[in-house]
Each structure stands twice: as C-alpha cells, then as structure tokens.
C-alpha cells in the first residue's frame, strides 16, 4: 500500500514501543544541524566524558532534534575499546548508539584505562555536520584503524585537507609524515576492499580545497596539490608498480563488486605512476588503453594519456583520442565522455584544445548534453584552466553563453554557475570575472534567465 513518512514512523514506534515525537522535528526544521563534540579524560577515575552540543545555524527558535550517534572509542594504538556507559553496569559493547535529545548532553564511560580517540557518527548515522577538533596523529589513527569505513575515510579526508590547506597557506608542499605513513599503511592493507583502498589513496580535489579557502588562488592550489601527488608517487614508486602489476593479473571484465573495486584501485594506482618521476605510468596507460576489454579501464587510460604533459607522450594521446572517437562516434553518450576527458584535462594546452573542440563536427550548441560535456565540464570541473590568470577561460564561457542565449536560455544561465563566486578569488581573477559578467549584461536582447543570474552574481 502507499505509505507516508508518518505511517513509516508510526510503524517503528509501535514495533519498538518508543515515542518518536521529537524525531519528527527533522521533517519540520530546515537546515543541517551542527554537532560539536569534545571529550575529557579522568585518569584517576578511568572515566571518559563526551559532551555533544547541537546547533541549528541562524534558527533562533529551533528545538533540539533527536540525533542518533553511532560511536566507538579507539586507543592511541588503534585498538577498539569496550564501552561501559556510567550507570549501566550490565552493558559492555565495542560500539553503541547514543541518543542526543537535548541541546547539550554529556555521556560518561567507565573503565577507560587510557585517553581514547572518539569515533562518532559511524556509518553517517545522522545527516549532520560534525565539529571535532582532533590532532593530526589522532586522525591518522582513525584513518588507519577505525573499523567503520565511513569514519576511516572521513578521518583521511580531514587529515589530507588540513595538511594541504596548511601547505597552501605556507606555499610549501612538504608532505608530513602523518600523511605518508597513512598512505604506506593503506598500500600494505591487502585485507581492505579494493574499492575502499582506492578512495583512501585519493587526495581532495582542487575544487574541494578551494571551497575551504576564503580567498582562492587556483594556480597556488594546483601547484600544491600537484606537488603532493608527485611526492607520494615518487615516495612509493615501487609499491605503486607492484600493486598495479598484481591487480592486472586478476583482470576480468565481470561486472561484479570485486572486479569493480579492482578496476577502481588499479586506475587510481595508474594515476600515481603517471605522476612519478620519468612517468613510467604513461607507457602502462598506453598499453592499458590498447588492451582494455571494458569501458572503465579504457576511459581511465585515455584520461591519463591526455593529461601527460611531456611532448614525447603527445603521440600516445593523439592516437588514443582518434581511436576512441572512431570506435564510438555513433554512441552519443560515449562521445560525451570523450569531450569531458579533454575538457577536464590538466594538460597545459587544455583551454586552446577546448576552443578547438567547439568547432568539431560532433559539437553543437543545440545539444545540451554535448554542451555540458565540453563547456560545462571545462567551466565547473577544470579549476586550473578555466580560472587561468589571463581570463581567457572566462571569455570562452561568456562567448558561449551569448551564443546560446537565444537558443536555450535556461542552459545558458546554468552555465554561469562557476562565475557566481567571483568575489572569493584573488584580485586578478576577481576583476576578470566581473568584467566578463558586465560584458554579458551589455549584450542586447538578453534572456530573462541569463540576465537574472548575471545580475544577481554581480550584486552579491
């Protein structure tokens, strides 16, 4: 039968004998709550107190939500601790669910014989933003030993983001031992699922790093991230090579979880090999492209060949691009991928390549998918080249929006999204984006959709 959210909650209440009236506030209070966590350890009493406070942004009249907190405690050596909530003598578990129902609540655990590291909101047990100030060493412990894979990845992502933002602030790409140690442990962790290892070995993107900064300098972000990738590639070249070869032996085009994970990890490893000194991965990418028996491996190899900056590798890229197009020119969605790979490339000539692709016979402004795969991906997914200091990336986008204005004003307006944060960039790019938006507004017969987005962007 058709059921509502109310029916679903009522069924849970009846089956478990609980009152979820407070839980229903999730459906009526807008915004994502923030939970701030802090802990204190009493070595004499061997007690650990965890204080959780929920905030709801600018909503002054918000009532406390019922927030489930799936959690555990980890020792400094990475071992799982037993949870014994104070006042519940018969309870001893390695993982539990706390129920935060007040604005602030302190939960106390007994028989804790060393300062623990809290692992909170395992499995993303509630859709909240967590504020938990952990030292780099503690994050590295969680990223290496937390039994919950969601929190393990989150700790890695937080640690990598923190050290890379610090490197951007200092303009110093020295990789700290905490991060290299984590990569070393992940490379050796053959017991972990391959798909998860692939995620653990990926660094935060340039776009994600930019969103964490008050003032965005795309060249600096690119330079630091590139140095981190190259540093990790050089540090573990032998391990990358051995892992790639081992994964290649187990190749099979079977669409099951095991093979999907194998391909994901292998292609992540290939990226590091292509960034290593002398780029040993480029030859591997060319061979992988030629021998691929599935689209995932072929596209991954093509992306690495297109990114390779050395002139010696240009022939590999040109040959593979032509071969791919010839194979799939009658498959529109696959050719969209062909355009996307070139639009998001880190190769120095990417902007001019994108400009040239707008004249390609397979490109047309009247096909929204094709337009998004080239211009949309270039503007939203290629931070380095779209935001080139000469402003030519902005000019290319605005020229496209002007040409598209009368054909598809809704799509034209959506293409402007990357320009809406122009005030957050350093002065040269900020001024260039503002100038292009003003150029757009000076055009005659501008559609209502485009006019509205451009005007609101400049007013912000």
């Amino acid at each position: 039968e058709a059921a509502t959210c109310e029916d679903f909650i009522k069924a849970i209440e009846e089956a478990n004998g609980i009152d979820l009236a407070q839980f229903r506030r999730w459906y009526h209070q807008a915004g994502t709550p923030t939970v701030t966590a802090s802990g204190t350890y009493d070595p004499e009493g061997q007690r650990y107190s965890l204080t959780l406070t929920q905030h709801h942004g600018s909503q002054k009249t918000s009532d406390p939500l019922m927030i489930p907190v799936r959690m555990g405690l980890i020792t400094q050596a990475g071992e799982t601790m037993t949870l014994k909530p104070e006042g519940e003598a018969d309870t001893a578990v390695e993982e539990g669910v706390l129920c935060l129902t007040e604005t602030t609540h302190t939960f106390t655990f007994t028989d804790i014989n060393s300062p623990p590291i809290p692992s909170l909101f395992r499995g993303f047990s509630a859709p909240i933003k967590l504020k938990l100030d952990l030292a780099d060493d503690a994050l590295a412990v969680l990223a290496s030993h937390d039994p919950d894979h969601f929190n393990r990845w989150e700790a890695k992502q937080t640690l990598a983001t923190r050290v890379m933002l610090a490197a951007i602030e200092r303009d110093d790409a020295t990789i700290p031992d905490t991060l290299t140690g984590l990569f070393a442990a992940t490379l050796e962790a053959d017991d972990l699922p391959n798909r998860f290892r692939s995620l653990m070995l990926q660094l935060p993107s340039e776009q994600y790093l930019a969103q964490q900064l008050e003032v965005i300098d795309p060249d600096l972000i690119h330079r630091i991230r590139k140095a981190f990738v190259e540093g990790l590639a050089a540090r573990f070249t032998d391990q990358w090579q051995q892992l790639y070869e081992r994964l290649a032996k187990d190749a099979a085009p079977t669409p099951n979880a095991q093979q999907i994970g194998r391909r994901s990890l292998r292609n992540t490893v290939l990226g590091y090999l292509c960034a290593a000194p002398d780029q040993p991965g480029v030859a591997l990418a060319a061979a992988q492209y030629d021998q691929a028996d599935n689209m995932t491996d072929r596209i991954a190899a093509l992306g690495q060949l297109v990114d390779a900056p050395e002139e010696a590798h240009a022939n590999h890229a040109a040959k593979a691009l032509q071969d791919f197009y010839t194979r799939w020119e009658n498959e529109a969605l696959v050719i969209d991928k062909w355009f996307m790979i070139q639009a998001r490339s880190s190769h120095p000539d990417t902007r001019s390549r994108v400009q040239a692709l707008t004249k390609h016979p397979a490109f047309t402004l009247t096909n929204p998918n094709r337009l998004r795969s080239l211009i949309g991906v270039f503007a939203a997914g290629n931070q380095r080249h779209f935001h080139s200091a000469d402003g030519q990336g902005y000019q290319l986008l605005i020229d496209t929006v002007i040409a598209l204005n009368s054909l598809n004003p809704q799509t034209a307006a959506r293409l402007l999204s990357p320009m809406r944060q122009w005030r957050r960039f350093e002065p040269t790019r900020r001024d260039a984006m503002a100038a292009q938006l003003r150029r757009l507004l000076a055009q005659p017969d501008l559609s209502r959709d485009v006019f509205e987005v451009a005007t609101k962007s400049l007013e912000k």
Side-chain angles (χ1 to χ4, degrees):
E1 297 179 0
T4 65
C5 290
E6 289 294 325
D7 295 329
F8 183 56
I9 297 173
K10 185 177 180 181
I12 295 175
E13 286 180 319
E14 293 175 351
N16 294 277
I18 57 176
D19 181 1
L20 293 176
Q22 185 179 10
F23 178 80
R24 287 179 172 82
R25 292 176 185 168
W26 280 98
Y27 295 97
H28 305 294
Q29 293 186 178
T32 302
T34 298
V35 175
T36 300
S38 61
T40 56
Y41 177 64
D42 174 15
E44 294 184 1
Q46 294 194 338
R47 292 153 48 97
Y48 177 73
S49 297
L50 176 67
T51 300
L52 302 176
T53 302
Q54 54 177 297
H55 314 272
H56 300 270
S58 59
Q59 299 183 57
K60 298 180 180 179
T61 59
S62 295
D63 295 317
L65 299 173
M66 176 185 286
I67 301 179
V69 186
R70 183 178 163 204
M71 56 85 66
L73 297 177
I74 307 292
T75 69
Q76 302 293 330
E79 298 175 349
T80 298
M81 307 181 84
T82 300
L83 302 178
K84 294 182 180 180
E86 188 174 52
E88 301 180 26
D90 297 333
T91 302
V93 296
E94 292 186 347
E95 179 180 271
V97 178
L98 308 177
C99 195
L100 178 61
T101 58
E102 304 170 19
T103 300
T104 299
H105 190 93
T106 298
F107 301 88
T108 301
F109 303 92
T110 60
D111 295 340
I112 304 296
N113 55 20
S114 63
I117 302 171
S119 169
L120 306 178
F121 292 97
R122 288 179 169 179
F124 199 56
S125 63
I128 58 89
K129 297 177 182 178
L130 175 63
K131 287 187 176 181
L132 175 62
D133 188 16
L134 293 178
D136 289 358
D137 289 344
L139 288 171
V141 170
L142 291 179
S144 299
H145 301 287
D146 198 319
D148 182 81
H149 284 180
F150 175 83
N151 273 13
R152 195 162 176 168
W153 176 86
E154 181 71 14
K156 182 275 303 186
Q157 189 78 347
T158 301
L159 174 61
T161 301
R162 180 185 295 175
V163 300
M164 293 177 75
L165 290 176
I168 291 169
E169 184 178 353
R170 301 189 313 269
D171 194 1
D172 176 8
T174 302
I175 305 176
D177 291 342
T178 49
L179 191 60
T180 55
L182 174 57
F183 267 65
T186 305
L187 281 168
E188 296 172 0
D190 291 331
D191 57 319
L192 291 176
N194 285 335
R195 176 60 179 149
F196 179 66
R197 290 173 77 191
S198 174
L199 293 172
M200 290 292 289
L201 292 169
Q202 295 173 27
L203 293 173
S205 68
E206 293 179 28
Q207 288 86 349
Y208 181 79
L209 292 170
Q211 291 305 311
Q212 316 308 310
L213 296 168
E214 291 186 11
V215 178
I216 302 171
D217 183 341
D219 287 340
L220 176 58
I221 295 172
H222 174 76
R223 184 170 70 252
I224 294 298
R225 189 182 186 280
K226 182 173 182 286
F228 267 65
V229 171
E230 291 175 347
L232 292 166
R235 175 73 177 269
F236 301 109
T237 300
D238 291 341
Q239 291 94 321
W240 298 123
Q241 186 78 44
Q242 292 166 10
L243 182 54
Y244 183 86
E245 293 173 355
R246 188 162 70 249
L247 292 166
K249 293 177 181 178
D250 191 29
T254 310
N256 58 37
Q258 182 179 1
Q259 287 301 322
I260 290 171
R262 182 201 63 80
R263 288 192 287 272
S264 177
L265 179 57
R266 185 185 183 214
N267 290 324
T268 295
V269 171
L270 178 63
Y272 281 101
L273 286 170
C274 288
D278 300 324
Q279 297 180 302
V282 175
L284 292 174
Q288 177 173 310
Y289 179 87
D290 291 336
Q291 299 166 13
D293 53 13
N294 62 86
M295 186 62 75
T296 300
D297 282 347
R298 195 179 297 278
I299 284 182
L302 179 62
Q304 294 299 333
L305 293 174
V306 171
D307 281 354
E310 298 297 330
E311 193 65 30
H313 303 314
N315 185 52
H316 285 308
K319 179 182 175 183
L321 282 168
Q322 183 57 51
D323 176 79
F324 191 93
Y325 185 82
T326 302
R327 284 173 183 262
W328 304 104
E329 60 181 319
N330 295 321
E331 297 289 342
L333 294 180
V334 180
I335 295 303
D336 285 342
K337 295 286 188 182
W338 184 78
F339 279 99
M340 291 170 65
I341 287 169
Q342 296 176 81
R344 65 163 58 103
S345 172
S346 61
H347 192 279
D349 294 335
T350 292
R351 192 207 58 79
S352 56
R353 179 181 290 173
V354 170
Q355 182 79 60
L357 284 170
T358 62
K359 311 298 183 185
H360 193 278
F363 181 80
T364 172
L365 290 177
T366 59
N367 183 330
N369 285 343
R370 191 58 44 83
L371 182 67
R372 285 189 289 265
S373 68
L374 182 63
I375 303 300
V377 168
F378 175 68
N382 195 328
Q383 181 167 277
R384 178 194 181 193
H385 291 299
F386 174 65
H387 293 289
S388 60
D390 60 13
Q392 292 187 26
Y394 310 141
Q395 181 177 338
L396 172 59
L397 176 63
I398 297 304
D399 286 345
T400 304
V401 171
I402 292 171
L404 190 63
N405 176 64
S406 60
L407 297 173
N408 191 334
Q410 292 82 16
T411 299
R414 284 194 290 270
L415 285 176
L416 288 172
S417 294
M419 304 281 280
R420 301 181 74 169
Q421 297 190 56
W422 62 275
R423 292 183 187 276
R424 295 189 57 210
F425 285 77
E426 53 78 33
T428 298
R429 292 171 173 84
R430 183 176 63 218
D431 294 344
M433 276 190 275
Q436 289 297 325
L437 286 170
R438 294 188 186 99
R439 178 169 77 91
L440 175 61
L441 287 172
Q443 300 299 311
D445 302 322
L446 210 57
S447 69
R448 179 182 299 177
D449 301 85
V450 172
F451 178 82
E452 181 180 356
V453 172
T455 301
K456 288 186 176 180
S457 297
L458 282 173
E459 288 176 351
K460 284 186 176 181

